[in-house]
Amino acid sequence: MRGMLSGAWRDPLIALWKAWRAAPSNPYLPLSTMGTSSEASYENQEKEKHEIVAISTKEVDTAAELGSGDQGPLDAAEALRVRRKIDKHILPLMCILYWIQFMDKTTLGSSAILGIRQATHLSTNQYNWLGTIFYLSYLVFEFPQNLCLQRFPVGKWMSFNIFVWAVALCSHAACKDFAGLFIVRLILGMCEGSITAGFMIVSSMFYTRTEQTLRVGYWFLMNGTAQIISGFISFGSLHIHTKSFEPWQWLMIITGILTLLTALAFWFLFPDSPTNAWFLTLPERSITVRRIKENQTGVENKHFKTEQMIEAFTDPKTWLFALFSALDNIPNSLTNQRQIIVASFGFTPLQTTLLGCVDGFIEIVTIWTGVTIVSKVPNSRAYVGFIYFIPNILGVFLINFLPWSNKVGLLFAQWTTGVGTTGFVLSLSWLSSVTAGHTKRVTTNAIMLSAYCIGNAAGPFMWQAKYKPRNHVPWIIIGVCYVICMGLLLAIRYLLSSENKRRDSEPVNETYDDVFIDKVGPDGAVEKVKVDKEFLDLTDVQNREFRCVL
């Protein structure tokens, strides 16, 4: 394909482009490389602009050719068949990887019960730093990872990171002190930055906005599965008795090998995009692309657009989601503290290891029920997330006020603090659903996940030795974070709802209604193909027909 901007039109189009850049306050103007290809005078261009508008192919979505043009109505039964085929080929891989990555990053918490602190002579502060450096590294590399996810094939880039992750995880077993563990944990954080961001991109490529909520829930609830399986692996490792290896080292080797196998599976089986998915025929790829037109977000665009990045940074909803992400993940420091806290209630290492499986079961049930409710009740994301935070508040209250001798009550109270994970899951799919423009989506994903890292990095430092055994200060901070998060969900909903109402009252905008690219047919002839607005890689601000889901 080639762009349609010929030399004859270059000078007047550059002038138009400069005029557009001089008036950034108008959100309805065309893309920066869009121009008119009629021979009318400047005065007639306004009249002619919807007859033939030509843009460079790098400006449009990669799926523009597959999804645009007059292809007739989409057969519902055929679309459902294709969606099931997509589910069959990518959902199992996404679920397996998310299970693997969560199990891997929580090996530190499991190893604490298996003897890693004693074997490597870790102080309480050093142990906390190992939890923090993971997320600091995640934070530093989040923007580079998202840029790479846009520039390179998504599946292959994630596969590379999973492979490096596996090597670093196995290397834990060779560490003898804090310095060695610090380095390998840093590498783990660097690699994980590609996983959640990559999954958010892939989910928006293959699924409609309603389907995204369910699918994000499905692969995120694998965190709960990871806690269960990790509990049994830890239990098995506890019973491995060898002279050269301690149980915590066996845990690292076993999980590292599982991660390596996952990396190989992703390299050969995971698709990069609907436009080249190996398991879809060409007609099925077209159906896949046409299915997601309702999202008005397209599939992807490999061309980085600075103006979209700037828009992401100046969009208020970006920062509301980021603040929610940061505050909601300060309590996530419990990931590496849960087993230590349960042990402090008076349970043995063996009991503590097995009781960790219950945390996983609760997370599975709550996430599954939450995303199912949202998929069936329209515009309920904020309300469902709000309600699911209530048990967390109750759990924090009970942990602070129950008698210390009531270890069963304290255990149940801690379990209830895992229910609110549903709110973060909903926020991930919500942000992806209300953001359009590939560069803007990549940028907002990076901002939200960077905030996620900040919360997770700050959290471990709450758990100071001076607060033990009741840890009143950390639990109070956690409770305050949950309350603010509940308010933020309602604030986000109000902001998006107000924006929808404002757009409903606006006149119809036709700026992007007639846009064409060149397409070379089977016979070699070049024809003009109209590009639907959904595949122009417009942002949610540029496309005034875009409506935010609530």
Side-chain angles (χ1 to χ4, degrees), residues 331-406:
N332 204 37
S333 58
L334 285 168
T335 299
N336 290 324
Q337 297 289 336
R338 284 189 186 277
Q339 293 191 324
I340 296 174
I341 293 171
V342 172
S344 73
F345 292 159
F347 295 98
T348 66
L350 179 59
Q351 291 171 329
T352 300
T353 300
L354 293 177
L355 286 171
C357 298
V358 179
D359 293 288
F361 176 76
I362 291 173
E363 187 165 337
I364 291 172
V365 172
T366 54
I367 292 176
W368 181 79
T369 55
V371 297
T372 301
I373 292 171
V374 167
S375 68
K376 295 184 181 299
V377 181
N379 298 324
S380 61
R381 288 165 176 79
Y383 299 141
V384 172
F386 183 95
I387 292 171
Y388 273 63
F389 270 118
I390 294 175
N392 289 45
I393 303 297
L394 177 62
V396 170
F397 182 85
L398 292 175
I399 286 178
N400 273 289
F401 294 103
L402 280 176
W404 189 244
S405 58
N406 188 355

Side-chain angles (χ1 to χ4, degrees), residues 214-282:
L214 276 174
R215 271 66 187 180
V216 170
Y218 290 158
W219 50 257
F220 204 97
L221 65 79
M222 295 307 292
N223 286 355
T225 304
Q227 292 183 57
I228 295 173
I229 297 176
S230 179
F232 285 113
I233 294 177
S234 299
F235 176 76
S237 300
L238 194 60
H239 291 79
I240 299 177
H241 302 288
T242 56
K243 292 183 179 180
S244 56
F245 262 40
E246 295 188 27
W248 68 269
Q249 292 173 304
W250 278 113
L251 176 66
M252 299 298 183
I253 294 296
I254 293 170
T255 53
I257 291 174
L258 291 174
T259 306
L260 181 60
L261 294 175
T262 304
L264 294 174
F266 255 72
W267 182 269
F268 291 107
L269 299 177
F270 198 75
D272 298 308
S273 164
T275 60
N276 60 11
W278 63 270
F279 55 85
L280 296 175
T281 63
L282 187 59

Side-chain angles (χ1 to χ4, degrees), residues 66 71 74-75 78-83 282-292:
L66 283 174
Q71 304 184 52
L74 186 61
D75 182 77
E78 187 67 5
L80 179 60
R81 182 190 67 80
V82 171
R83 193 199 73 187
L282 187 59
E284 288 172 340
R285 293 174 187 176
S286 177
I287 291 172
T288 300
V289 170
R290 292 164 64 198
R291 268 187 3 96
I292 65 168

